[in-house]
Amino acid sequence: MARFNNVNGIRIQMTPQEELELDASEAAWEAGADARAAEDVRNERNGLLLEVDAYVSNPLRLASLTPAVQALWATYRQELLGVPQQTGFPQTVTWPTQPEVI
């Protein structure tokens, strides 16, 4: 099936070279889908890590937590760090459950 470019409102059939270039560009875009998805998931994970760090890096707030709750937060943070190592990453991600904020 012929493909066309639109040049100043006029449909012009692509040359074989233009079609090859378009095919290569589309293949490259498709090949990068996993990398783009991984970047999106890492960005989301990094935002969650910033929230955790802002919460637990406050010495007064951290001192007010019981050792058990501190351990929950430490585990949650470690699970966030491990998200990229999950099987199925980046298409399938199981997000850890954030401990309750006190």
Side-chain angles (χ1 to χ4, degrees):
M1 175 193 241
R3 294 189 277 182
F4 297 86
N5 283 320
N6 186 333
V7 179
N8 296 326
I10 300 171
R11 287 183 61 191
I12 299 175
Q13 186 171 350
M14 288 184 174
T15 65
Q17 181 62 35
E18 289 172 326
E19 288 199 30
L20 286 174
E21 290 171 4
L22 181 59
D23 290 342
S25 175
E26 289 173 350
W29 174 257
E30 184 61 33
D34 280 349
R36 288 188 307 279
E39 182 178 5
D40 289 345
V41 171
R42 282 189 179 95
N43 286 338
E44 184 173 351
R45 187 266 327 249
N46 291 347
L48 293 171
L49 283 169
L50 286 173
E51 290 176 14
V52 170
D53 290 346
Y55 184 73
V56 298
S57 65
N58 180 321
L60 294 175
R61 186 176 291 156
L62 188 61
S64 72
L65 303 175
T66 66
V69 174
Q70 289 178 13
L72 288 174
W73 279 99
T75 299
Y76 173 65
R77 188 177 192 287
Q78 191 60 43
E79 289 173 350
L80 285 174
L81 290 172
V83 164
Q85 287 73 45
Q86 291 181 5
T87 302
F89 176 86
Q91 277 69 33
T92 304
V93 174
T94 302
W95 292 101
T97 302
Q98 180 181 11
E100 288 189 36
V101 177
I102 298 171

